[in-house]
Amino acid sequence: MQDQRCTKYTDCASCDFYQKQIFKYRQYPKGMSIPQERVLQNTMYFLLKGEVRVNSEEHPDTFFREGQFIMQPIGSRVEFHILEPVEAILYLFERPQNICNDRHNKGMSMASGGHIGPVVMDLCAPMHTFLSGMRAYLDSDLRCSVFLQSKQTELLFLLNCYYPIKDLAAFYSTIYRYNKSFQYFILQNYQQVKDVEAFAQLGGYSISTFRRMFKETFGEPAYQWMLKRKCQDIQTDLLTTELSISDICYKHGFESLSNFSHFCRANFGQSPRAIRAERENV
């Protein structure tokens, strides 16, 4: 009987919906080292073959073997040392998708409570089947974003259905912990920088990564959040402190009183003196 092979008739690479940034297939030779770099998206690493030594804050000097998977949160730094030839599939995402309210809420509660458990997970049989299919699709360059989003949902259902809540809570807690530390960095330093670009540079992030992490953590764009905070802090200083208007002006990074006055009129509809006068009338 003649050998029959599936043939792909659709040229996805020429389509506007072609998507490279959800699933990726990677091969690395034995002895290769991937130097420490910042993770630009939350990433799950599924090891189909080989062995790797991982070094990051979440996985310090950890051995990661065939049939296992780990996750690194966006913004974290990680390096890999390839101990045996590797084949891996990477899944990149912005935030964990909620597909079951009950399990999601329980898991987040456990993660926020500091639950400690395994963060190197073993592939179950359905996950092996799923990843085998993904390998074939990626080899065929079948990267329609609509199709890959459906595979993303399938992956999340498999995680949700075949792994205990306590293990998933530990697995996803790396995202929670990193977001908490990122949040602390923002709250400690937002008054020291003039704009989003300077803020990203202060933290050692690319601008696109910083914007993405900020939106994920605070629920709104960095510029909008920083502007609101600046307005709140200026109002607080004008209404509740004895600082002079000049001191408040330069404290918040304005180069002149005229620039400060223009900012107040644009955002509050009043001059700094008029805002301060409200305190006198209370």
Side-chain angles (χ1 to χ4, degrees):
M1 185 169 61
Q2 185 177 5
D3 183 33
Q4 294 184 359
R5 298 179 182 273
C6 294
T7 303
K8 174 171 167 283
Y9 293 101
T10 304
D11 179 17
C12 295
S14 64
C15 177
D16 291 340
F17 292 98
Y18 188 74
Q19 171 61 263
K20 288 186 176 182
Q21 300 305 319
I22 298 180
F23 290 96
K24 296 181 179 181
Y25 173 74
R26 292 289 184 265
Q27 289 181 297
Y28 299 107
K30 180 178 180 178
M32 180 178 180
S33 291
I34 303 174
Q36 187 179 86
E37 58 184 1
R38 193 178 291 278
V39 178
L40 300 181
Q41 286 183 274
N42 293 314
T43 305
M44 295 185 192
Y45 302 83
F46 298 92
L47 200 58
L48 306 181
K49 291 184 180 180
E51 183 177 6
V52 180
R53 188 172 81 246
V54 184
N55 195 22
S56 66
E57 182 179 347
E58 296 75 21
H59 302 94
D61 200 26
T62 299
F63 289 88
F64 167 41
R65 298 177 173 87
E66 177 179 332
Q68 295 181 318
F69 61 104
I70 63 171
M71 180 165 61
Q72 285 294 146
I74 184 173
S76 62
R77 292 183 177 275
V78 60
E79 60 182 338
F80 298 97
H81 301 281
I82 311 303
L83 305 179
E84 295 294 338
V86 158
E87 292 184 23
I89 287 180
L90 281 57
Y91 164 55
L92 297 83
F93 62 103
E94 296 294 327
R95 65 184 65 192
Q97 183 178 331
N98 177 16
I99 58 174
C100 174
N101 285 333
D102 182 58
R103 286 177 63 84
H104 177 81
N105 293 336
K106 288 180 180 177
M108 289 299 99
S109 177
M110 294 172 74
S112 63
H115 174 75
I116 298 175
V119 290
V120 177
M121 306 278 275
D122 293 323
L123 292 173
C124 63
M127 288 286 282
H128 274 289
T129 302
F130 170 83
L131 292 168
S132 176
M134 283 307 308
R135 163 76 191 278
Y137 302 140
L138 295 174
D139 282 348
S140 296
D141 206 27
L142 206 168
R143 298 176 184 270
C144 171
S145 62
V146 178
F147 172 71
L148 292 182
Q149 286 164 13
S150 72
K151 301 305 291 182
Q152 170 183 269
T153 301
E154 181 182 350
L155 170 60
L156 297 175
F157 269 106
L158 293 176
L159 286 169
N160 189 66
C161 294
Y162 289 97
Y163 292 88
I165 293 178
K166 63 182 181 63
D167 290 354
L168 291 179
F171 187 65
Y172 284 115
S173 67
T174 59
I175 295 178
Y176 180 84
R177 287 198 301 271
Y178 201 90
N179 282 352
K180 292 289 284 186
S181 64
F182 179 76
Q183 184 180 47
Y184 180 80
F185 165 73
I186 296 299
L187 296 177
Q188 288 293 106
N189 294 286
Y190 76 91
Q191 292 178 319
Q192 301 178 27
V193 294
K194 291 184 177 181
D195 52 38
V196 175
E197 288 74 15
F199 216 160
Q201 185 175 13
L202 179 65
Y205 302 98
S206 70
I207 294 174
S208 60
T209 298
F210 181 83
R211 291 183 193 277
R212 187 162 56 240
M213 287 185 66
F214 198 102
K215 180 69 178 293
E216 181 175 308
T217 303
F218 291 91
E220 62 182 318
Y223 172 79
Q224 183 177 324
W225 184 93
M226 291 172 67
L227 178 61
K228 285 165 62 176
R229 276 295 181 127
K230 190 171 190 175
C231 289
Q232 291 170 3
D233 292 344
I234 288 171
Q235 275 192 314
T236 298
D237 283 347
L238 288 169
L239 295 173
T240 67
T241 75
E242 299 303 321
L243 292 171
S244 70
I245 290 177
S246 293
D247 287 340
I248 296 171
C249 165
Y250 297 116
K251 173 186 174 181
H252 292 283
F254 294 94
E255 297 179 353
S256 67
L257 284 170
S258 62
N259 287 340
F260 182 49
S261 180
H262 177 75
F263 177 90
C264 289
R265 290 181 184 279
N267 289 279
F268 308 126
Q270 295 176 297
S271 68
R273 293 190 183 280
I275 297 171
R276 172 148 282 180
E278 293 180 0
R279 181 178 65 177
E280 314 295 332
N281 298 327
V282 174

